[in-house]
Amino acid sequence: MRKAPLIGIAILLSPAIAVLALVLLLAGGAGGSADNMTMTGASQCIVKASTAEGETTQRPQVPLNPRGNQTQPSWNEEQTKNAAIITNVARTRNLKPRAAVIAVATAMQESTLHNLHGGDRDSQGLFQQRPSQGWGTVSQVTDPIHASNKFYDSLVEIPNWDTKDLAHVAQGVQRSGFPDAYAKWETSAGKLVAQVWGADVIDCEQPADNAKSAKVSGAWQAPVGIKATHNYQAGGSMWSSGRHTGVDFPVPTGTELHAVGNATVIEAGWGGRYGNNIVLKMSDGTYTQYAHLSRIDVKVNQKVTTGQVIGLTGATGNVTGPHLHFEARTGPAYGSDIDPLQYMRERGITI
């Protein structure tokens, strides 16, 4: 079997809105061949959402078009993390959420979201890509970021990949001996992708929050009183993933560290290469991380407010000197990072 990356996206709708799901999300009937199964324009669900300025705008939705019985297992931390990496690669390539759903669903079928070292013949990794078929070396195809990029490289070459049936598109990338097997994962993949994609993905049954946005002036502030080094996504061997997933604030050990907004502490302790670190779930549903600390002043489940001192900066973990490593994420897992400087500017922080 020739293996390749796949992209897919979906949102799980409740039975209570089954009729709405049929109107907004499904593409025609459930029958038909793989060649003519496409999603209509109506499946690109759009919701009118209020912005911070009181205006309305249109936010892109994750189109869902499940075929047949859907498998809905529980996923562990490792599997969820791998789904987040696959999704984040789609975001960094400016692909539609549908791409991530297809890719995650494909990996579910090929490896159950485990980064396997072995498989059918010389198949390897999340997508069970085969080095002998030109997907890369063994070390490359077992790197989730490389494997995801290779999958998307093939995906975007398929005409109308974003409107065709998921299994049809996945098969166009993978060339599987079981071409219909991908379809059963669409709903489950959509749920994981939506968790990572963040505010740009809204379930059609869940209207956007009309409450005043957290971007109000004064609601957010910088973590330390110094500008960051703009090195987000810089490449190099210093980082285990091959790229820098945050930005650095070059401050000496012992500098007071402030929460950038109102939040709940979801991690506070040793974080491996991050050293002593804190992860906060922010009031708007995003996440921020503070790493290499010399002291932690908060505990898991504690509520913190904007500007509260949550610890002191330091040089613990994988560092070459004292500094604050700061990340912004769409989800709690590694691999769901977004540009931290843009994140702060969007929230009114001068940085």
Side-chain angles (χ1 to χ4, degrees):
M1 182 189 303
R2 183 175 70 83
K3 309 286 184 178
L6 160 74
I7 302 175
I9 289 189
I11 287 289
L12 176 64
L13 299 179
S14 71
I17 59 166
V19 175
L20 179 61
L22 288 174
V23 175
L24 294 178
L25 297 180
L26 298 184
S33 67
D35 288 334
N36 61 24
M37 286 184 182
T38 61
M39 295 189 298
T40 66
S43 68
Q44 296 288 343
C45 179
I46 297 296
V47 172
K48 290 287 186 178
S50 297
T51 66
E53 292 75 24
E55 301 174 352
T56 58
T57 186
Q58 289 186 333
R59 290 183 175 184
Q61 307 302 296
V62 176
L64 175 65
N65 191 30
R67 300 286 183 174
N69 294 330
Q70 297 292 292
T71 301
Q72 300 183 39
S74 297
W75 306 103
N76 63 28
E77 183 178 354
E78 176 195 355
Q79 293 166 306
T80 302
K81 173 183 174 181
N82 286 330
I85 293 172
I86 294 169
T87 301
N88 194 53
V89 172
R91 287 175 62 102
T92 60
R93 292 174 63 121
N94 293 318
L95 291 172
K96 298 176 181 180
R98 181 72 182 167
V101 172
I102 298 170
V104 171
T106 300
M108 287 175 172
Q109 172 61 26
E110 298 293 352
S111 67
T112 61
L113 289 174
H114 288 101
N115 193 20
L116 302 177
H117 290 266
D120 176 47
R121 286 168 284 187
D122 62 332
S123 300
Q124 302 278 340
L126 290 172
F127 299 98
Q128 288 290 277
Q129 296 161 339
R130 297 180 60 190
S132 64
Q133 298 297 315
W135 291 103
T137 64
V138 171
S139 62
Q140 287 176 326
V141 298
T142 52
D143 174 359
I145 294 176
H146 173 91
S148 298
N149 272 307
K150 292 295 288 185
F151 181 87
Y152 292 130
D153 286 346
S154 295
L155 178 83
V156 297
E157 294 299 319
I158 298 175
N160 302 315
W161 62 265
D162 56 334
T163 58
K164 288 183 176 179
D165 177 67
L166 184 148
H168 177 73
V169 178
Q171 173 66 359
V173 177
Q174 298 293 104
R175 296 291 190 271
S176 170
F178 304 93
D180 297 326
Y182 303 108
K184 64 186 177 184
W185 300 104
E186 183 163 352
T187 296
S188 184
K191 292 173 67 177
L192 290 184
V193 169
Q195 291 174 18
V196 175
W197 209 272
D200 289 336
V201 176
I202 307 172
D203 188 336
C204 290
E205 67 172 311
Q206 298 289 342
D209 186 0
N210 291 325
K212 194 173 183 181
S213 170
K215 296 180 184 180
V216 176
S217 177
W220 300 76
Q221 75 167 60
V224 292
I226 188 174
K227 289 187 176 181
T229 302
H230 193 177
N231 53 357
Y232 176 59
Q233 291 193 334
S237 59
M238 290 178 59
W239 302 288
S240 59
S241 64
R243 66 183 184 90
H244 195 216
T245 51
V247 292
D248 294 334
F249 290 83
V251 292
T253 295
T255 301
E256 288 189 340
L257 170 64
H258 303 272
V260 298
N262 297 333
T264 301
V265 181
I266 66 168
E267 182 177 339
W270 185 254
R273 63 186 179 279
Y274 286 115
N276 294 320
N277 84 128
I278 297 170
V279 178
L280 303 181
K281 182 176 181 179
M282 310 308 297
S283 59
D284 63 356
T286 59
Y287 296 79
T288 55
Q289 181 185 32
Y290 313 78
H292 309 311
L293 311 181
S294 61
R295 192 181 80 192
I296 294 175
D297 293 337
V298 292
K299 297 180 180 180
V300 172
N301 296 325
Q302 179 179 338
K303 303 292 185 182
V304 297
T305 58
T306 304
Q308 180 176 334
V309 176
I310 58 176
L312 301 179
T313 62
T316 58
N318 183 21
V319 296
T320 57
H323 68 281
L324 169 66
H325 173 89
F326 175 83
E327 289 191 20
R329 297 174 174 173
T330 59
Y334 175 82
S336 63
D337 54 276
I338 54 179
D339 188 334
L341 296 187
Q342 179 180 346
Y343 175 90
M344 288 187 279
R345 289 173 184 140
E346 289 176 349
R347 286 154 179 78
I349 301 172
T350 301
I351 198 71

